[in-house]
């Protein structure tokens, strides 16, 4: 029950943070960075990435679908967020196996946080997942390969911002466990 | 058959992923075009009311700037309206009446419904604006949205309290325009990816536009005529066959869009009915 409340809270917090604050960042402030007119960090993949390591696969896919639909309602893009998140959810067990092969049994139901996994492995895991998600997301949004360089640029800038935000979130919301 | 089931069982997870992904991408492609977006939009009650709440709390942050914009616009409107006084009855005799010089010109008065922008985007391929008025204030589909400094977009979805407009920052949105010399052409945003600029295309070689020339809407499209679109910045390379292309700076700053007007245009509605009936005859 406690865990259920925790995930509902996380879900609401991230969705509201993304739709009301981050999506607005590009609108209200005139930030320009290296010639890119507008870019925003996409924080919502964190909801999938920080699920417990041994979570049920089907449950995770449906969760990704729900997050995607909610975000699509807010940004008038039916199917776009949902398909990117479903791809991420499908690849997540493989990415975890790629980076933490030996520890998977030991970690069990733990959430993949920076303290449990160590800084560098966590950073690789996050960077790789975010790169895949953002690339797919922006390719879908552009729906053409004609300005592939622009898409890659956008992916990179937005991805770096997202990774920085996730790391900050790790240090703010999780405390170092007493004994590991 | 047995083998097929075995394969399905072995790759159960992958097929589950595949089905969900195909459904999502199909929905995405079917709704890729902004004219065909039929559901899941922020004109709907839930997300609309959330955006309205957000706007209520964040609107205090830039009050000074907004007041200034409103003041300048009020001043402009007031100067247009003029002050009417009773004329001297003695002057109005049939002997001294003169024909007005500009009797060929005609003034069209549109009704404007003021609206507030609740949500806005400009980093996507097709960008939308959520407005805080809907069917209850008489907004209908295809009505035009203009801002204090130029054109903004066109209403695409209407619900009872909210409405959604496709802004000119959309891939297939084109506006019929007219240059200072009277050449009509089109303005498009697609391919620019910068919310400040758009492309004016199809200007004949004989006409040279200077930097700073204003481009206005023509009377051919649904937009009311002579509304500011933007100012010419520079010539764009390429596109010599069908005329020169120019880059223009849009009059409306889409990053600071706050108050807009929805144009109620009865004349255009009548024209559309007529054009539709002509099309129906041609199809027969």
């Amino acid at each position: 029950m406690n865990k259920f409340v925790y995930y509902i809270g996380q879900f609401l917090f991230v969705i509201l943070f993304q739709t009301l604050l981050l999506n607005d960042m590009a609108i209200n402030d005139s930030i320009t960075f290296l010639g890119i007119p507008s870019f925003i960090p996409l924080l919502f993949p964190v909801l999938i990435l920080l699920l417990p390591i041994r979570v049920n696969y089907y449950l995770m896919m449906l969760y990704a679908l729900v997050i995607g639909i909610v975000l699509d309602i807010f940004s008038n893009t039916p199917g776009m967020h949902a398909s990117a998140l479903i791809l991420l959810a499908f690849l997540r067990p493989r990415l975890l196996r790629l980076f933490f092969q030996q520890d998977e049994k030991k970690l069990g139901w733990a959430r993949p946080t920076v303290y449990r996994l160590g800084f560098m492995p966590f950073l690789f895991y996050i960077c790789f997942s975010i790169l895949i998600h953002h690339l797919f997301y922006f390719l879908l949004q552009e729906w053409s390969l004609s300005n592939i360089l622009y898409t890659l640029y956008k992916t990179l800038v937005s991805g770096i911002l997202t990774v920085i935000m996730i790391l900050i979130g790790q240090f703010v919301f999780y405390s170092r466990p007493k004994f590991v | 058959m047995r083998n097929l089931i075995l394969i399905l069982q072995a790759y159960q997870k992958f097929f589950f992923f595949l089905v969900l992904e195909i459904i999502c991408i199909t929905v995405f492609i079917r709704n890729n075009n902004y004219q065909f977006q039929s559901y899941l939009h922020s004109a709907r009650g839930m997300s609309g009311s959330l955006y309205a709440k957000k706007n209520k709390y964040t609107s205090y942050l830039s009050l000074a700037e907004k007041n200034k914009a409103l003041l300048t616009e009020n001043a402009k409107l007031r100067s247009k309206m003029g002050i009417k006084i009773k004329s001297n009855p003695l002057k109005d005799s049939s002997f001294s009446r003169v024909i007005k010089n500009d009797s060929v010109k005609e003034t069209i008065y549109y009704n404007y419904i003021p609206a507030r922008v609740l949500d806005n985007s400009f980093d996507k391929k097709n960008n939308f604006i959520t407005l805080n008025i809907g069917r209850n204030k008489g907004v209908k589909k295809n009505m035009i949205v203009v801002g204090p400094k130029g054109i903004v977009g066109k209403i695409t979805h209407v619900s009872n309290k909210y409405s959604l407009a496709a802004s000119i920052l959309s891939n297939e949105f084109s506006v019929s325009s007219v240059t200072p010399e009277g050449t009509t052409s089109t303005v498009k945003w697609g391919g620019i990816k910068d919310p400040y600029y758009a492309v004016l295309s199809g200007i004949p070689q004989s006409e040279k536009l200077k930097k700073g020339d204003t481009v206005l809407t023509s009377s051919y499209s649904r937009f009311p005529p002579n509304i500011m679109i933007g100012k010419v910045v520079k010539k764009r390379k390429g596109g010599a066959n069908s005329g020169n292309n120019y880059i223009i700076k849009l009059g409306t700053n889409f990053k600071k869009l706050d108050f807009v007007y929805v144009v109620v245009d009865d004349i255009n509605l009548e024209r559309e009915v007529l054009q539709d009936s002509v099309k129906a005859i041609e199809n027969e």
Side-chain angles (χ1 to χ4, degrees), chain B:
Chain B
M1 194 62 206
R2 196 181 139 74
N3 278 339
L4 186 70
I5 292 171
L6 281 178
I7 287 173
L8 276 177
Q9 269 178 352
Y11 294 99
Q12 206 177 9
K13 290 185 174 179
F14 179 70
F15 282 116
F16 187 65
F17 159 70
L18 213 61
V19 168
L20 283 185
E21 192 74 335
I22 287 171
I23 291 171
C24 283
I25 292 191
T26 320
V27 169
F28 176 68
I29 294 169
R30 283 175 64 101
N31 296 282
N32 204 4
N33 203 328
Y34 69 87
Q35 284 104 345
F36 298 117
Q37 268 197 18
S38 51
Y39 69 113
L40 282 184
H41 51 74
S42 64
R44 286 207 157 179
M46 190 188 84
S47 46
S49 66
L50 188 67
Y51 280 136
K53 262 188 200 127
K54 182 199 80 177
N55 205 275
K56 192 176 141 197
Y57 293 113
T58 56
S59 59
Y60 297 108
L61 299 174
S62 51
L63 274 184
E65 208 172 306
K66 281 167 196 166
N67 274 338
K68 211 173 150 193
L70 282 176
L71 270 180
T72 49
E73 198 184 6
N74 267 342
K76 211 169 120 192
L77 288 177
R78 192 173 275 227
S79 69
K80 255 188 192 167
M81 200 166 70
I83 302 167
K84 279 176 190 153
I85 48 166
K86 270 187 186 169
S87 57
N88 189 346
L90 289 178
K91 268 187 183 173
D92 190 22
S93 67
S94 53
F95 299 105
S96 66
R97 190 172 283 166
V98 284
I99 298 167
K100 277 183 185 170
N101 259 339
D102 58 346
S103 60
V104 280
K105 280 192 180 173
E106 158 187 36
T107 322
I108 313 168
Y109 292 99
Y110 293 97
N111 279 327
Y112 298 92
I113 314 173
R116 178 146 207 190
V117 177
L118 297 181
D119 185 51
N120 182 9
S121 79
F122 44 76
D123 57 330
K124 305 209 170 60
K125 201 172 169 186
N126 296 320
N127 293 294
F128 289 91
I129 298 163
T130 312
L131 302 178
N132 69 342
I133 53 170
R135 215 172 286 125
N136 54 356
K137 295 274 171 69
V139 178
K140 286 182 195 129
K141 207 180 162 184
N142 286 338
M143 276 184 173
I144 293 300
V145 183
V146 297
K149 287 178 184 168
I151 60 168
V152 173
K154 189 166 100 181
I155 301 279
T156 53
H157 298 94
V158 187
S159 74
N160 207 19
K161 280 185 182 169
Y162 304 100
S163 54
L164 195 68
S167 75
I168 189 185
L169 309 183
S170 293
N171 222 23
E172 285 148 52
F173 203 122
S174 68
V175 183
S176 176
S177 65
V178 59
T179 59
E181 288 185 33
T183 316
T184 49
S185 53
T186 51
V187 171
K188 263 191 165 189
W189 179 72
I192 280 278
K193 308 210 183 283
D194 192 326
Y196 292 123
Y197 299 99
V199 179
L200 172 71
S201 57
I203 298 293
Q205 299 282 357
S206 58
E207 188 176 340
K208 297 274 182 286
L209 288 178
K210 290 189 294 294
K211 193 184 170 188
D213 280 353
T214 50
V215 181
L216 306 173
T217 52
S218 78
S219 53
Y220 294 165
S221 66
R222 303 187 57 100
F223 280 90
N226 290 343
I227 287 191
M228 172 86 169
I229 298 178
K231 285 188 171 167
V232 175
V233 176
K234 62 177 181 192
K235 201 169 161 183
R236 200 187 191 198
K237 280 168 194 159
N241 287 336
S242 57
N244 288 327
N245 293 344
Y246 288 87
I247 288 182
I248 63 172
K249 190 174 196 311
L250 291 170
T252 309
N253 184 351
F254 279 90
K255 287 198 175 184
K256 297 211 168 125
L257 206 57
D258 200 26
F259 290 101
V260 292
Y261 298 93
V262 178
V263 182
V264 182
D265 191 353
D266 299 326
I267 303 163
N268 242 339
L269 287 178
E270 205 177 311
R271 180 163 90 181
E272 193 170 84
V273 170
L274 184 67
Q275 283 174 346
D276 281 352
S277 62
V278 171
K279 267 179 205 160
I281 292 167
E282 278 173 352
N283 285 341
E284 273 170 10

Side-chain angles (χ1 to χ4, degrees), chain A residues 4-171:
Chain A
F4 189 67
V5 173
Y6 172 84
Y7 283 111
I8 294 274
Q10 193 189 36
F11 175 80
L12 286 178
F13 177 74
V14 171
I15 298 274
L16 291 180
F17 194 69
Q18 178 74 44
T19 50
L20 298 184
L21 227 87
L22 293 183
N23 287 357
D24 241 32
M25 234 171 78
I27 293 165
N28 283 337
D29 306 325
S30 41
I31 318 166
T32 45
F33 181 75
L34 299 176
I36 290 191
S38 55
F39 59 91
I40 44 171
L42 308 170
L43 194 62
F44 51 87
V46 88
L47 288 173
I48 296 296
L49 292 177
L50 295 187
L51 285 176
I53 288 173
R54 288 179 66 186
V55 73
N56 186 313
Y57 173 82
Y58 299 102
L59 212 63
M60 182 169 67
M61 293 295 258
L62 292 177
Y63 187 45
L65 188 68
V66 169
I67 301 167
I69 288 173
V70 170
L71 284 165
D72 284 331
I73 289 173
F74 276 106
S75 61
N76 309 314
T77 50
M80 192 169 81
H81 291 81
S83 47
L85 278 174
I86 284 167
L87 179 78
L88 182 70
F90 172 68
L91 291 176
R92 196 189 90 123
R94 283 151 188 78
L95 287 168
L96 278 172
R97 218 168 294 148
L98 188 72
F99 290 112
F100 314 111
Q101 198 159 21
Q102 63 278 36
D103 308 331
E104 204 183 352
K105 276 204 179 121
K106 199 180 77 190
L107 288 165
W109 280 97
R111 281 190 282 275
T113 62
V114 71
Y115 296 113
R116 289 256 165 70
L117 304 180
F119 186 76
M120 284 321 274
F122 181 78
L123 187 66
F124 277 127
Y125 164 61
I126 291 291
C127 283
F128 214 73
S129 334
I130 291 293
L131 184 71
I132 291 172
H133 172 269
H134 280 36
L135 190 61
F136 188 74
Y137 177 87
F138 285 121
L139 278 177
L140 214 57
Q141 195 179 69
E142 288 298 318
W143 200 247
S144 75
L145 294 175
S146 57
N147 347 51
I148 182 81
L149 277 177
Y150 177 80
T151 312
L152 288 177
Y153 202 32
K154 212 170 166 180
T155 307
L156 211 66
V157 175
S158 187
I160 290 170
L161 269 174
T162 312
V163 169
I164 292 172
M165 287 208 68
I166 292 176
L167 287 178
I168 291 174
Q170 286 289 310
F171 291 120

